[in-house]
Amino acid sequence: QITLTQQAESLWISPGERVSITCRASQSLLYTDGKHYLSWYQQRPGQTTKALIYHASVRTDGVPTRFIGSGSGTEFTLSIEHVQPEDFAIYYCLQTLKSPFTFGSGTKLEIK
Amino acid sequence: QVTLKESGPGILQPSQTLSLTCTFSGFSLSTYGMGVGWIRQPSGKGLEWLANIWWDDDKYYNPSLKNRLTISKDTSNNQAFLKITNVDTADTATYYCARMYGYFDYWGQGVMVTVSS
């Protein structure tokens, strides 16, 4: 199965700063259709899990432009520019290229 | 508006079978490419994908749960189901269902399940 590694368990930043969360896959997530099957999700207490990015770099409807997905092959990054108070949450990457679908272990964004 | 809501027994004993229901609205599981997945999360831990069912009744399972999982659907009533046999305390978690249309774009709030004797 494909393993996704999110090295950072926690990241401490101040509101207004920029942060990058990385996700490394054990094999390429590029499919023959030219798309990467890597998506990013946000979990906040008391809220439903929210999809932020799919196909590595496409923002889902309504997601603020400060959320930027990038990367290719096996290395992916979720960047958040000018972090807002509501962005302090846990972020997961997910690969849906091959079953079993697998999540990264999660990165918690914490206020410095 | 897409919504999903999970329901389950709340608490059950080791060795019993866990039956979960996902009731959804705003989409049809008969639409080409559509799927519903089940994901779980023990308290304070990460997400684990369990199973997916697709519009054409194809099914994917997480092999780490071996043959304990069965996923099914009732398209007419907009429901998907998951059964986990022979549960033990390690199955204690919040269970989520989510719509999959390329990725998990909509999630339910989750249902907490506790396995305890």
Side-chain angles (χ1 to χ4, degrees):
Chain A
Q1 70 175 42
I2 298 174
T3 300
L4 295 184
T5 300
Q6 289 181 246
Q7 209 93 42
E9 191 173 320
S10 295
L11 291 170
W12 284 267
I13 63 160
S14 300
E17 290 184 339
R18 185 182 194 274
V19 66
S20 292
I21 300 169
T22 60
C23 176
R24 181 175 292 117
S26 59
Q27 63 187 83
S28 174
L29 299 184
L30 178 64
Y31 188 52
T32 53
D33 60 4
K35 298 172 183 172
H36 289 86
Y37 282 75
L38 187 283
S39 46
W40 289 95
Y41 300 84
Q42 178 192 62
Q43 276 199 324
R44 294 166 62 190
Q47 310 235 341
T48 58
T49 302
K50 184 178 180 180
L52 300 173
I53 301 285
Y54 65 98
H55 292 158
S57 61
V58 182
R59 265 186 299 274
T60 64
D61 288 346
V63 169
T65 56
R66 65 179 182 273
F67 289 91
I68 301 165
S70 62
S72 62
T74 61
E75 301 274 339
F76 301 91
T77 302
L78 173 68
S79 299
I80 312 172
E81 297 187 333
H82 308 297
V83 170
Q84 300 298 300
E86 61 268 29
D87 300 336
F88 290 93
I90 303 175
Y91 293 86
Y92 293 92
C93 53
L94 164 71
Q95 70 81 20
T96 52
L97 178 69
K98 289 182 187 174
S99 179
F101 303 151
T102 46
F103 288 91
S105 54
T107 297
K108 187 174 184 179
L109 217 52
E110 303 197 73
I111 302 175
K112 184 159 46 174
Chain B
Q1 182 191 0
V2 173
T3 64
L4 302 100
K5 186 169 184 178
E6 308 86 349
S7 57
I11 188 164
L12 67 167
Q13 295 186 333
S15 81
Q16 289 187 318
T17 295
L18 170 60
S19 294
L20 297 166
T21 299
C22 175
T23 303
F24 54 85
S25 63
F27 68 98
S28 172
L29 245 183
S30 61
T31 299
Y32 179 89
M34 196 70 69
V36 168
W38 287 94
I39 301 107
R40 72 180 179 182
Q41 185 171 38
S43 181
K45 300 203 172 180
L47 298 164
E48 178 184 28
W49 173 78
L50 299 176
N52 256 54
I53 191 163
W54 303 96
W55 83 102
D56 60 355
D57 210 38
D58 197 7
K59 295 158 186 155
Y60 292 178
Y61 293 105
N62 191 328
S64 70
L65 278 83
K66 297 181 182 158
N67 298 318
R68 298 173 53 213
L69 300 176
T70 303
I71 194 169
S72 59
K73 62 182 172 70
D74 179 347
T75 304
S76 302
N77 288 307
N78 287 341
Q79 291 181 314
F81 310 97
L82 183 71
K83 288 188 191 301
I84 306 178
T85 60
N86 193 26
V87 297
D88 70 8
T89 55
D91 296 308
T92 294
T94 297
Y95 287 77
Y96 300 97
C97 63
R99 185 181 89 156
M100 186 160 188
Y101 201 39
Y103 62 103
F104 289 122
D105 56 355
Y106 292 94
W107 294 58
Q109 285 274 11
V111 60
M112 288 185 61
V113 174
T114 302
V115 179
S116 175
S117 55

